Amino acid sequence: VVEPYELYYWPSILGRGEFVRLVLEEAGAPYVDVARLPVAQGGGEEAIIAQMEATGTLPPFAPPFLRTDGVLIAQVANICLYLARRHGLVPADARVEAHANQLQLTIADVVAEVHQTHHPISAELYYEEQRREALCTARAFLRHRLPRFVGWFERVLAVHAGPYFFGRTLCYADLSAFQLLEGLRYAFPNAMARVPAPRLDALAEHVRARPRIAAYLASERRLPFNEEGIFRRYPELDVS
Ligand SMILES: N[C@@H](CCC(=O)N[C@@H](CS)C(=O)NCC(=O)O)C(=O)O
């Protein structure tokens, strides 16, 4: 019997946990999204806190983290690479793996900058307490950083002529690129309409059509985007 992976992430948002969920889903790996279980069954946010306060293993600083083989593994890019190695979602070649990790870490950089657009001063304060600064940050992000990041991903995708980063074979970073694009189009529909992303769009369509991903996206396991997550649709921030 294969022990299911235990994923620990905030139960009501896609957030950073979604990058891990997509790898688990594409791998067809058995997993429990622990905090989404009822509290009476050991779920809820309490389950996350309890794991983070447990002793005897390296404590994660923040969710998402994965429990497997008696240890907790945190940091999205780290978790995704760990899973990808075990489930054949990254080629077993050190140079290709370094490139996949490079892509994944750059996606993490974009995610962090997107978070900064609504939490420029601190993640510990509410958006409503930093709205003025958020407006400045979002404006600069959309004007300068978003086109640079998207343009860079377009160049990367031209190297192997797509549809995926490494050509015709999917790797885990492609799943994250799909989620990144979904999130950017949700949060910043106006700004994204002005940034050409034909190769990223093609990648996303190929990911969306993969049988396991399609089944997942149609299931109740896939949460909708909302204004508690990383990608938030605040029309006042989606400025031209
Ligand atoms: N670099 C970390 C960031 C983790 C992170 O910021 N998690 C957020 C939720 S998406 C959180 O709950 N943070 C709580 C905290 O920082 O105290 C990763 O990629 O996993």
Side-chain angles (χ1 to χ4, degrees):
V1 181
V2 189
E3 278 292 301
Y5 293 104
E6 289 181 7
L7 171 66
Y8 291 83
Y9 193 65
W10 306 118
S12 56
I13 60 170
L14 292 170
R16 287 184 173 89
E18 194 63 9
F19 297 101
V20 180
R21 291 195 190 100
L22 286 167
V23 180
L24 290 163
E25 293 284 345
E26 174 61 28
Y31 74 101
V32 182
D33 205 336
V34 179
R36 289 182 69 184
L37 294 172
V39 176
Q41 288 174 38
E45 296 187 357
E46 295 91 318
I48 301 174
I49 309 298
Q51 288 292 331
M52 290 175 65
E53 288 174 352
T55 52
T57 177
L58 199 66
F61 178 76
F65 52 89
L66 194 73
R67 189 180 172 85
T68 176
D69 293 339
V71 295
L72 302 177
I73 298 170
Q75 290 282 2
V76 170
N78 191 40
I79 305 167
C80 288
L81 179 54
Y82 177 89
L83 288 171
R85 278 190 187 132
R86 291 183 80 167
H87 295 277
L89 287 170
V90 65
D93 174 309
R95 292 166 304 175
V96 181
E97 185 179 291
H99 277 162
N101 193 35
Q102 177 179 328
L103 291 163
Q104 188 69 32
L105 289 167
T106 308
I107 291 170
D109 288 347
V110 184
V111 168
E113 290 202 22
V114 168
H115 190 264
Q116 291 278 109
T117 65
H118 47 82
H119 281 77
I121 296 183
S122 174
E124 307 284 337
L125 302 173
Y126 290 107
Y127 166 60
E128 288 70 22
E129 297 173 276
Q130 42 195 323
R131 287 180 75 142
R132 270 192 332 147
E133 294 81 0
L135 193 57
C136 298
T137 308
R139 199 171 275 157
F141 174 75
L142 296 180
R143 184 173 303 160
H144 305 295
R145 304 292 288 171
L146 179 71
R148 262 190 77 190
F149 277 123
V150 171
W152 181 77
F153 282 115
E154 289 290 313
R155 280 179 59 206
V156 168
L157 282 163
V159 172
H160 295 283
Y164 299 125
F165 284 133
F166 298 105
R168 294 160 63 96
T169 308
L170 178 98
C171 94
Y172 70 102
D174 296 304
L175 302 169
S176 292
F178 159 79
Q179 177 63 13
L180 175 67
L181 189 67
E182 290 282 295
L184 290 172
R185 290 206 181 283
Y186 173 80
F188 307 114
N190 293 323
M192 281 301 289
R194 281 186 288 280
V195 181
R199 292 181 188 272
L200 267 178
D201 282 328
L203 175 152
E205 287 321 302
H206 277 80
V207 168
R208 189 193 306 283
R210 297 183 71 85
R212 284 173 174 163
I213 297 298
Y216 167 63
L217 294 176
S219 76
E220 289 195 346
R221 298 193 301 286
R222 171 74 172 190
L223 296 163
F225 283 102
N226 61 39
E227 281 54 60
E228 308 287 319
I230 304 280
F231 298 99
R232 304 184 182 195
R233 182 172 285 178
Y234 292 139
E236 65 273 23
L237 297 187
D238 186 17
V239 285
S240 43

